[in-house]
């Protein structure tokens, strides 16, 4: 079936939601407070880098079943209302629900019997039950429907998801499941709080896998084992799985850091100390120190040393620099007095005190140390024997993602340093 849909928020989640729902044939209107963004989207301009999104947007605009409007120019609400506005972290680490609350208040004033309000924004367990109560006063239904989209593969993740989680009353669950009838994935029907917890638990578990393998990498460094071989052997156990066992300088982005802190905050709020999660967060913070520590161990003082940081985004194939390990690493290097150059093929901003190079070759040439912070294919597929040869002594190459071939770096005279990889 196809249906009219209103999406609140043209950010990352709202945009992907609106564009993908339109691609399934639904009549979608996406609302946002940012007029410039709305007019850009209405003329086919996608403000983020997300493979496949621009093509689907163009298709929706051409077919006429995808519209963008400024919030104050909306014309009523569709029977399906998706809430996809931000829940940024407060200074205490909690999820700031003010944008979500504003939208729910607005919807509660305009919705009627037959409206289904679908929460896409990540909200702490316990939040949605209150919204459901508020909305029931006007006869509207409520469902929690967390997203599991990864930046860089969000469109594919939307259509090829492992599961569709819907928390709510039976009527809300079956209504929303019918909207997704073209997606071939099992529907996990739960109560609202459990759906909310599934989102946090999923992100926290993936973050735990990353911090776990990073702890093992540290032990590999201390014992001489090779973490890449270890991760391969461990990940081949079907019960564990190979995904998210890539060691390095840790996770960043707009999701894992925020959601792990919000879950930790929630635990504290309930008087519980979530030891394991705290350790995951602490290990992740520590991983960012590794390159600076490694360089300091090799060169006593970094004052005046030319250091190049490769990659400013939190992972490859995105332009997103939010909570990227590279930002902290650049800040620490600048504070140490190093002369820091950075190169990234897509990041729109450069950390303070850092010079931006125009190409990989320019960035690496005559650098005394290189820190690979993001495993862009441009870096991993480069000829490192040739690149390292253009560096100046002591030619340190800290591979923060274990993504380079140590032998190539060494062939060019580079001193290769990885995370949990044996030194030559
Ligand atoms: C993550 C989840 O993977 C999505 O399922 C979820 O929907 C999303 O958060 C969200 O909550 O909105 P994303 O942040 O786009 O998606 O990126 P990931 O591919 O999960 O990577 C997150 C970070 O972990 C990156 O910094 C990456 O470099 C790091 N990572 C990932 C590792 O250090 N090691 C690994 O093995 C995997």
């Amino acid at each position: 079936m196809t249906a009219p849909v209103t999406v609140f928020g043209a950010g990352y989640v709202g945009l992907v939601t609106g564009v993908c729902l339109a691609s399934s044939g639904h009549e979608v209107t996406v609302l946002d407070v940012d007029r410039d963004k709305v007019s850009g989207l209405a003329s086919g301009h996608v403000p983020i880098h997300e493979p496949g999104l621009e093509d689907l947007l163009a298709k929706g605009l051409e077919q006429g079943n995808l519209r963008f409007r400024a919030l104050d120019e909306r014309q009523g609400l569709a029977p399906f209302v998706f809430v996809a506005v931000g829940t940024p972290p407060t200074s205490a680490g909690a999820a700031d629900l003010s944008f979500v609350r504003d939208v729910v208040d607005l919807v509660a004033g305009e919705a009627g019997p037959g409206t289904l309000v679908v929460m896409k924004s990540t909200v702490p367990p316990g939040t949605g039950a209150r919204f459901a109560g508020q909305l029931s006063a006007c006869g509207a239904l409520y469902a929690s429907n967390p997203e599991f989209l990864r930046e860089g593969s969000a469109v594919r993740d939307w259509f090829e998801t492992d599961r569709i989680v819907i928390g709510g009353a039976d009527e809300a669950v079956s209504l929303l499941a019918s909207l997704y009838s073209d997606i071939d994935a099992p529907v996990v029907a739960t109560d609202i709080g459990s759906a909310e917890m599934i989102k946090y638990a999923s992100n926290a578990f993936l973050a735990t896998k990353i911090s776990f393998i990073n702890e093992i990498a540290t032990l590999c460094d201390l014992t001489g084992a090779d973490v890449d071989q270890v991760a391969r052997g461990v990940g081949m156990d079907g019960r564990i799985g190979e995904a998210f066992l890539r060691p390095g300088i840790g996770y960043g982005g707009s999701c894992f850091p925020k959601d792990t802190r919000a879950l930790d905050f929630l635990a504290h709020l309930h008087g519980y100390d979530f030891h394991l999660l705290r350790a995951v967060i602490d290990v992740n913070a520590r991983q960012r120190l590794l390159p600076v520590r490694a360089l300091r161990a090799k060169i006593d003082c970094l004052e005046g040393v030319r250091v190049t940081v490769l990659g400013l985004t939190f992972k490859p194939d995105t332009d997103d620099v939010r909570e990227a390990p590279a930002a902290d690493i650049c800040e620490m290097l600048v504070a140490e007095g190093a002369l820091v150059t950075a190169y990234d093929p897509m990041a729109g901003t450069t950390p303070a005190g850092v010079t931006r190079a125009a190409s990989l070759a320019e960035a690496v040439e005559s650098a005394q140390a290189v820190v690979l912070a993001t495993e862009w294919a441009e870096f991993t597929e480069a000829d490192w024997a040739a690149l390292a040869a253009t560096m100046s002594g002591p030619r340190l190459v800290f591979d923060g993602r274990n993504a380079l071939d140590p032998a190539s770096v060494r062939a060019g005279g580079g001193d290769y340093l990885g995370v949990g990889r044996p030194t030559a």
Side-chain angles (χ1 to χ4, degrees):
M1 72 98 166
T2 58
V5 176
T6 303
V7 180
F8 279 85
Y12 178 75
V13 173
L15 188 55
V16 174
T17 300
V19 168
C20 290
L21 284 172
S23 162
S24 293
H26 303 294
E27 283 288 329
V28 181
T29 304
V30 181
L31 305 172
D32 201 282
V33 286
D34 184 338
R35 287 172 172 278
D36 291 341
K37 191 192 265 184
V38 165
S39 61
L41 286 165
S43 53
H45 172 69
V46 177
I48 51 171
H49 172 76
E50 193 56 53
L53 196 60
E54 201 153 87
D55 290 347
L56 286 189
L57 173 85
K59 196 179 107 193
L61 293 174
E62 198 182 303
Q63 289 175 353
N65 68 330
L66 177 61
R67 282 168 293 273
F68 295 90
R69 293 231 193 295
L71 183 65
D72 51 10
E73 286 171 3
R74 67 187 179 281
Q75 296 161 351
L77 294 177
F80 287 89
V81 174
F82 280 72
V83 183
V85 291
T87 51
T90 65
S91 52
D96 177 353
L97 297 177
S98 53
F99 301 115
V100 170
R101 270 201 210 97
D102 288 349
V103 173
V104 173
D105 287 347
L106 183 155
V107 172
E110 295 182 14
T115 307
L116 173 61
V117 179
V118 183
M119 185 57 69
K120 274 278 170 209
S121 304
T122 301
V123 297
T127 309
R130 291 195 295 276
F131 291 153
Q134 182 184 354
L135 289 158
S136 68
C138 63
L141 293 166
Y142 179 90
S144 164
N145 176 219
E147 52 84 21
F148 304 101
L149 310 170
R150 284 164 301 177
E151 291 190 22
S153 58
V155 172
R156 201 179 66 222
D157 289 348
W158 175 276
F159 290 109
E160 294 173 23
T161 182
D162 292 331
R163 78 292 203 199
I164 296 172
V165 174
I166 308 177
D170 292 349
E171 194 187 348
V173 173
S174 55
L175 249 179
L176 186 55
S178 65
L179 195 79
Y180 290 135
S181 57
D182 64 319
I183 298 177
D184 182 20
V187 170
V188 183
T190 68
D191 59 86
I192 295 170
S194 302
E196 292 166 336
M197 188 60 96
I198 287 171
K199 169 68 186 186
Y200 279 99
S202 299
N203 275 359
F205 189 77
L206 292 171
T208 302
K209 278 188 96 175
I210 298 169
S211 281
F212 182 83
I213 201 64
N214 283 335
E215 288 279 68
I216 295 293
T218 300
L219 279 182
C220 286
D221 270 333
L222 295 171
T223 59
D226 180 340
V227 73
D228 295 332
Q229 294 181 33
V230 173
R232 208 173 113 244
V234 169
M236 282 169 80
D237 185 326
R239 293 169 302 175
I240 297 171
E242 62 183 15
F244 284 76
L245 287 182
R246 281 182 290 112
I249 50 174
Y251 59 80
S254 63
C255 306
F256 287 177
K258 167 175 87 78
D259 292 351
T260 47
R261 283 199 293 265
L263 192 58
D264 182 47
F265 182 89
L266 186 82
H268 277 290
L269 203 64
H270 287 267
Y272 179 64
D273 187 359
F274 195 157
H275 302 278
L276 182 59
L277 185 61
R278 274 239 58 81
V280 167
I281 295 168
D282 290 347
V283 168
N284 195 57
R286 187 197 63 195
Q287 292 306 107
R288 296 175 180 214
L289 302 174
L290 292 184
V292 181
R293 265 196 10 219
L295 299 193
R296 277 178 50 161
K298 291 274 182 179
I299 317 171
D300 222 12
C301 170
L302 295 180
E303 184 84 44
V305 174
R306 291 187 300 279
V307 183
T308 285
V309 174
L310 295 179
L312 293 170
T313 56
F314 81 96
K315 66 174 188 178
D317 302 319
T318 174
D319 55 357
D320 197 340
V321 298
R322 285 177 287 178
E323 306 240 15
D328 285 345
I329 292 165
C330 285
E331 191 182 313
M332 285 185 270
L333 290 169
V334 170
E336 294 276 330
L339 305 174
V340 186
T341 298
Y343 171 67
D344 187 286
M346 215 169 262
T349 55
T350 308
V354 173
T355 307
R356 188 78 173 257
S359 70
L360 173 62
E362 182 192 311
V364 173
E365 190 180 352
S366 55
Q368 293 164 280
V370 165
V371 174
L372 183 125
T374 316
E375 67 278 32
W376 284 97
E378 182 182 348
F379 307 157
T380 59
E381 289 166 10
D383 177 351
W384 273 91
L387 277 174
T390 69
M391 293 172 65
S392 301
R395 297 188 189 179
L396 300 174
V397 177
F398 183 91
D399 179 2
R401 298 292 179 184
N402 283 7
L404 304 180
D405 173 21
S408 301
V409 174
R410 289 175 188 136
D415 185 355
Y416 178 89
L417 307 160
V419 180
R421 277 178 155 183
T423 45

